[in-house]
Amino acid sequence: MRTCARALAAAALFGSVAAPAAAQTFETVGTRAAGMGGAFVAVADDASAAYWNPAGFASGSIFSLVLDRTSGERVGAGADAGGSRSGWLIAIGAPAVALSYYRLRSTELSSAPGIPEGGPFLQADTLVTHHTGATVVQSLMRGVAVGATLKLVRGVVSSATGPVSVRDELLGDGSGGAAARSSRVDADLGVMAAFGPVKAGLTVRNVAEPSFKGPAGHGAVTLERQARAGVSMAPLAGWVVAADMDVIGSGRMSGPPRRFAVGAEGRVHRRAYLRGGVNAGVSGERAAAASVGASVAATSSLLLDLSITRGSDRAIRGWGMSARVGY
């Protein structure tokens, strides 16, 4: 685990010198996280920690299972602007180990080049990644843990063109057009430190920055490294407030390259939770979005979650739903 900790520090310090080509944002997966505006790196106490912060398992439930589905779209300004994303996750974990699979899709629209007649035409560039991972967690000292999710990542890069009239189809599932598939090995790293009611976390995703070959006539696509830091506090029993900041931004297919998020979650009934949050870009386009979410306890160990996100034209607008089991 010392190697894991050193790699985490190196990625945070030197990751920004890489030359990334594509991105899939933190907020692509996680209904509960989305309901808090994406301020979840220092919360991450259920099985979605495999994605949000692997070290979160150390302070989570003895057993946790999450099934999660999210979707979002960025409308943009003008017929050729915008993008969409979707994700779903299944993860199962305990304080020391976890297994996970998640699928992320991001699509970005642009004006199609080289079409002199019949326009305007749009080009949809899509990256779909399938992540199959195993998480290990190690406590370094009382209240401090590090974790790593080692992953096999299957990438599908595709490109399709069409008239403006089929814009919604191009933003849909990314099907159609030329596609290329390849697989790479990658890792996500995290650290979590708890000091009484306060927790601090750092997550570095896509440490190896895997590259996936593109279809004929297109170059390879590199999944860029990202890092996000967060802090959370539990002011009252059943309540938590949190804030996150991107250390290494998330690039295109996502709006602003670096974002700041704040959110809160609270128990308002023995079977119900409410949450809310906001996030905004701190560099480039300063698109802002607000989220609300709720959870209902179907049983003492089963929670059903829902989130809705709305914002400015260049912000992602979307929804999420999930089921969580914890003991």
Side-chain angles (χ1 to χ4, degrees), residues 198-251:
V198 177
K199 294 198 297 183
L202 173 67
T203 303
V204 181
R205 293 183 43 75
N206 311 321
V207 171
E209 290 195 315
S211 291
F212 306 103
K213 64 181 181 181
H218 296 262
V221 173
T222 299
L223 190 58
E224 68 177 4
R225 187 180 297 125
Q226 303 167 46
R228 177 174 285 194
V231 61
S232 69
M233 181 177 67
L236 300 170
W239 285 80
V240 62
V241 294
D244 278 15
M245 171 70 81
D246 286 334
V247 179
I248 302 174
S250 52

Side-chain angles (χ1 to χ4, degrees), residues 9-125:
L13 288 172
F14 303 115
S16 59
V17 302
Q24 294 178 324
T25 68
F26 270 83
E27 292 86 353
T28 304
V29 166
T31 297
R32 184 179 167 208
M36 297 180 67
F40 204 67
V41 165
V43 180
D45 56 1
D46 57 41
S48 67
Y51 177 90
W52 276 88
N53 186 344
F57 283 105
S59 57
S61 303
I62 295 175
F63 171 85
S64 180
L65 170 67
V66 171
L67 300 174
D68 190 274
R69 175 74 169 90
T70 56
S71 180
E73 181 175 334
R74 176 168 52 87
V75 176
D80 64 341
S84 65
R85 70 186 188 203
S86 64
W88 65 271
L89 169 145
I90 177 170
I92 182 171
V97 294
L99 297 174
S100 59
Y101 169 81
Y102 54 91
R103 176 189 184 273
L104 312 179
R105 178 192 60 81
S106 53
T107 298
E108 186 171 275
L109 291 181
S110 60
S111 296
I115 301 178
E117 298 180 0
F121 265 58
L122 301 178
Q123 178 171 314
D125 296 310

